[in-house]
Amino acid sequence: MNSDGTQDARGTHANPVPRPAGPPDVPTAPPRPTRAPGMPPPPDGSAFLTWLRTPRPEALPGVWRFGHRPRPEEEPERLPARQLLSGALIAFLVGWLIWSLLWNGYLGGWWVLPLELFTPESWRENNDRIGNAVLWYSYYTVIALAIMLFVGRLGRWGEVWRRYGPPAWRQAVPVPERPPAPEQDPAAWPALRAAGATDAAERLAADARAGLMRDVDQARIARAWQGVRNGRHSLATFTGAVLAEGAAACAHPSGARDLPSRQARHDLLTGQVRLGTTADDPRNPYAYRGSGLALSPELLGTSLLAVGPAGSGKTGGVVRPLAESLCLHALAGKAAVVVVGAAGAGLGESDAYDVVVRIGNPESVYDLDLYGGTTDPDEAAAVLAEALVGDLADPHPGSDSRRSTTVLAQLLGPFRAVHGRFPSVPELRQLLDGTPGPLAELRSGLLAAGQESLLRELDARERQMAHPGDVGGTLADRVALLDRPAFAGFFNTSGQSRPFSLKALDHPVRVRVDLPQRGHADASRMLARLVLAQFTASVTVREDRSLFACLVLDDATGVVTPEAVRGIQRLRSANAGAVLTLRTLDDVPRPLRGPLLGATGCRMVLSGVTPWDGQDFAEVWGKEWTEARDVTDRQIIAESPAGKAVHALRRAITGKAPTARAVTVRQVERERWSASELAHAVPAGHAVLSLTDVKGEHAPPLLVDLRG
């Protein structure tokens, strides 16, 4: 279960080294945990055990399952309390009146006919007073019970009992639950016991009771046990690591067992992070109202697009909790995450990540590999062309956007053949500009190496530079954005820096890329496109797709291109996903808005969007059949003098003319959320969110309070 480093990606060897999760080569004593999931545990670990044993029933997509109580699909008929209690009282008085009339004989003697028909006359007329009394009072009791059943059903006494009686008291007073049986207690690790690893299960259960285990430890060890069941690791290796280190076994290569701090509520047992509460609104399905709203890798695997203006809560309410959750999943060995945003955007502490790339910051430990860690010139050219001019390509189908890739390949291939590496940013700019010196040096190197095929590529590039429509100049202008003094120490290909490559996403690595937004907006958008292109190219060719890989892009302005949309569509089958946020859909070319909304399975609209943005979401969410009620009030005209007098008196009392109300109910097809509602009816701090998981289950647009 250890890694010898042979599968590690270039540029990821750091302290700590981001390698696959497994027990360290040299066991070390882990620091004593200071927190269980979200709160400090007492010494006996009861908080962790309570968290672990809390029921998590199956629920609809997006429902926070921790302690969830399922609700019916349809809203049950519920009378107002005043109407319910008054009806129950009236029914009781009616029953009492009927009984009084029967007892006092005001209704005649017909009610004793059943007794006379079904009992012998000798029973009623004998001299045995006790027997006679028992007979008659038993009959009275039967009659009274029949009256009570009738008026009780009429007055809904059962509903009164359930709403205000002992059943409601028992729900209000929590009853402490008994610890489950060992074979049903998740804290006892029944799966390990069933497989014969009883000693390991006992060690883990003892650590849990002693307060030495937390939610990340449980998820990480469960992930390692899944590897044993899948045959990736041996049972003996797993058992030995657990017996030696207990709850600290199979640790993440960084040695971290938790994040420095948490701001959101997480449940690593289900993989969910809670974003808010579904509003108790008639537009939400009844089964969702009032329940927690959470996201998990099963939902992020279809990608998420969030649109909202600045200050609507995209970063703090959506991006930060998701990044935090994915980092916890990485510590558990379940995910690899890349978070991209502006420097100082509040995407988490540096200690929460294994690799932090601060582009433009001289103090940055890591560099970004401009070519994605590949050695194939054609692949490097395709990714780099997408970053440089992907936003300039014609988004209409049938356009030829491969000329830039061809131009770059004509230069990258010969350069690598001569120098054994790809060109740096200044060298690439000179080659694209057609500077005579570098091209002549490259030609002489190819001649000396006998690379005739690559020499023909270079000849073709020199011929194309003489044409007016050559894209080499455009590429050179774009590369010039990176050839600035602020980036002088970055994108180095000579081996002097520590470049990070997204090829490392085969491992549970946590990466944060800080973009230099201030003064370099165009370069930042170009670098964001580069990271997105490298991400989609890397995760779709992974051999081991058991790790969920996710790219979180805090601001996708200028990033959405035709190739980016096609790449997002491929992520779902590669056990990967992307989270994109936009201030407005106007930042996306009009022909790409529909494909982008279609490529993402989870779509979110935050408060404050424009009606134009709302229209695009209203179209993709479609329409539904709903019940429309038309109410018509018609004035009643009295014909007789007495009726006119009554109407005059009623008008004097109420101030309104007497009317007759007519109600018409019909089925109509209406938009789930109209553009006007999305623009004006979403309160501050709320969002409308639709969900789709990787299995195809989906949730309709839900109004969610992101502050709850």
Side-chain angles (χ1 to χ4, degrees):
M1 298 175 63
N2 293 330
S3 172
D4 58 2
T6 58
Q7 296 179 354
D8 294 344
R10 179 171 64 88
T12 62
H13 299 276
N15 294 317
V17 180
R19 288 188 284 178
D25 294 330
V26 180
T28 58
R32 182 177 180 84
T34 59
R35 284 188 301 117
M39 62 184 68
D44 60 354
S46 60
F48 172 78
L49 295 178
T50 301
W51 169 82
L52 190 60
R53 292 166 178 168
T54 300
R56 295 165 173 84
E58 294 294 330
L60 296 170
V63 173
W64 174 253
R65 292 172 53 189
F66 181 79
H68 173 64
R69 293 183 179 180
R71 305 179 69 181
E73 293 290 337
E74 299 293 336
E75 182 176 6
E77 182 181 359
R78 184 179 177 90
L79 290 177
R82 180 178 179 181
Q83 182 178 351
L84 178 64
L85 295 177
S86 61
L89 178 61
I90 293 173
F92 172 77
L93 295 177
V94 170
W96 182 264
L97 177 62
I98 295 175
W99 173 253
S100 299
L101 295 176
L102 291 175
W103 182 262
N104 294 311
Y106 291 110
L107 298 181
W110 58 268
W111 61 284
V112 299
L113 289 178
L115 183 64
E116 296 178 353
L117 292 176
F118 294 102
T119 58
E121 185 177 355
S122 58
W123 291 11
R124 302 188 303 274
E125 296 181 358
N126 58 14
N127 295 325
D128 186 0
R129 295 184 178 180
I130 297 178
N132 201 0
V134 170
L135 175 65
W136 283 100
Y137 279 102
S138 298
Y139 183 67
Y140 296 156
T141 302
V142 171
I143 296 299
L145 289 175
I147 295 175
M148 288 181 62
L149 289 175
F150 172 74
V151 299
R153 186 177 181 85
L154 184 66
R156 300 175 184 262
W157 290 2
E159 178 66 20
V160 175
W161 175 265
R162 289 187 295 271
R163 195 182 298 187
Y164 303 105
W169 306 342
R170 287 194 294 268
Q171 293 180 2
V173 179
V175 179
E177 298 182 358
R178 297 181 179 178
E183 60 273 9
Q184 298 177 348
D185 186 4
W189 297 87
L192 274 65
R193 298 177 187 272
T198 306
D199 294 341
E202 291 291 347
R203 173 64 191 274
L204 294 175
D207 283 5
R209 291 191 299 269
L212 300 176
M213 183 177 287
R214 63 192 79 183
D215 55 347
V216 178
D217 298 329
Q218 194 277 340
R220 186 186 65 251
I221 296 174
R223 166 72 177 178
W225 174 249
Q226 184 182 7
V228 174
R229 296 184 60 183
N230 294 338
R232 293 197 302 268
H233 312 302
S234 66
L235 178 61
T237 304
F238 172 82
T239 304
V242 171
L243 292 178
E245 303 178 44
C250 311
H252 188 266
S254 65
R257 296 171 58 190
D258 204 347
L259 298 179
S261 63
R262 301 189 189 183
Q263 294 186 359
R265 292 185 60 187
H266 304 273
D267 184 23
L268 292 183
L269 207 60
T270 58
Q272 292 183 313
V273 53
R274 180 163 179 162
L275 297 186
T277 303
T278 308
D280 189 4
D281 189 274
R283 288 169 291 195
N284 288 336
Y286 180 74
Y288 277 96
R289 296 178 195 172
S291 63
L293 194 283
L295 296 182
S296 63
E298 288 75 15
L299 293 169
L300 296 180
T302 62
S303 298
L304 167 67
L305 174 66
V307 179
S312 59
K314 298 189 300 298
T315 301
V318 180
V319 174
R320 175 66 186 269
L322 291 178
E324 193 175 270
S325 175
L326 292 167
C327 286
L328 289 173
H329 280 76
L331 290 179
K334 296 182 176 181
V337 56
V338 180
V339 181
V340 182
L347 300 178
E349 304 176 23
S350 299
D351 294 340
Y353 296 90
D354 302 315
V355 176
V356 179
V357 182
R358 298 183 175 94
I359 301 177
N361 189 339
E363 299 179 358
S364 179
V365 177
Y366 285 93
D367 191 3
L368 182 64
D369 193 331
L370 195 64
Y371 302 97
T374 184
T375 58
D376 183 3
D378 293 330
E379 181 181 351
V383 173
L384 189 57
E386 169 65 14
L388 295 177
V389 295
D391 59 330
L392 301 180
D394 187 358
H396 291 88
S399 64
D400 186 8
S401 60
R402 293 174 293 182
R403 290 184 299 165
S404 300
T405 303
T406 303
V407 170
L408 289 171
Q410 290 171 343
L411 296 174
L412 297 182
F415 191 95
R416 181 172 180 79
V418 173
H419 299 280
R421 60 179 177 86
F422 288 123
S424 63
V425 170
E427 292 171 335
L428 181 60
R429 181 183 181 184
Q430 290 178 346
L431 293 174
L432 291 172
D433 277 333
T435 306
L439 289 176
E441 181 183 354
L442 193 58
R443 176 178 295 277
S444 61
L446 292 175
L447 289 172
Q451 297 283 353
E452 297 182 359
S453 61
L454 295 177
L455 190 59
R456 289 194 297 269
E457 292 284 332
L458 190 61
D459 292 338
R461 173 86 288 269
E462 292 178 343
R463 289 195 303 270
Q464 292 170 3
M465 282 191 294
H467 296 171
D470 181 47
V471 298
T474 303
L475 291 171
D477 293 340
R478 286 304 182 96
V479 173
L481 296 175
L482 302 179
D483 189 17
R484 308 297 301 166
F487 309 133
F490 289 85
F491 318 118
N492 194 310
T493 60
S494 62
Q496 302 297 322
S497 64
R498 305 172 67 182
F500 173 77
S501 166
L502 269 70
K503 293 290 185 180
L505 296 181
D506 284 335
H507 313 319
V509 63
R510 302 167 294 167
V511 183
R512 194 186 78 192
V513 180
D514 292 345
L515 301 176
Q517 292 279 1
R518 186 175 181 179
H520 302 279
D522 292 336
S524 295
R525 287 192 288 268
M526 185 187 306
L527 294 172
R529 288 196 301 272
L530 177 66
V531 175
L532 177 58
Q534 292 184 0
F535 178 83
T536 56
S538 299
V539 298
T540 53
V541 297
R542 293 183 301 168
E543 294 182 2
D544 182 12
R545 297 185 177 181
S546 60
L547 282 179
F548 175 71
C550 189
L551 172 67
V552 181
L553 193 54
D554 186 39
D555 185 4
T557 302
V559 176
V560 180
T561 65
E563 185 59 33
V565 173
R566 287 190 288 268
I568 293 173
Q569 292 173 340
R570 295 192 297 266
L571 295 179
R572 182 170 177 175
S573 60
N575 192 23
V579 178
L580 309 177
T581 67
L582 290 168
R583 294 185 179 90
T584 173
L585 285 179
D586 290 338
D587 294 332
V588 178
R590 166 56 68 179
L592 291 179
R593 296 179 191 176
L596 176 62
L597 291 172
T600 53
C602 303
R603 312 174 186 98
M604 175 183 288
V605 177
L606 290 94
S607 61
V609 298
T610 64
W612 297 273
D613 288 345
Q615 183 61 40
D616 291 318
F617 281 93
E619 292 178 358
V620 76
W621 280 332
K623 300 180 179 180
E624 64 178 347
W625 288 100
T626 184
E627 188 179 85
R629 300 171 63 91
D630 297 332
V631 181
T632 304
D633 288 335
R634 179 180 58 86
Q635 183 176 354
I636 303 175
I637 300 176
E639 300 293 342
S640 61
K644 293 180 179 180
V646 171
H647 286 189
L649 178 63
R650 182 175 176 181
R651 186 183 298 107
I653 295 175
T654 63
K656 297 180 180 179
T659 58
R661 174 169 295 183
V663 180
T664 304
V665 180
R666 54 193 176 92
Q667 294 290 327
V668 296
E669 191 177 22
R670 291 181 178 173
E671 292 178 326
R672 298 177 185 270
W673 280 82
S674 66
S676 178
E677 289 176 331
L678 291 173
H680 306 295
V682 179
H686 289 64
V688 180
L689 171 65
S690 66
L691 302 170
T692 304
D693 64 14
V694 293
K695 297 180 181 179
E697 298 291 335
H698 60 87
L702 305 170
L703 180 62
V704 181
D705 184 0
L706 299 178
R707 303 166 300 182

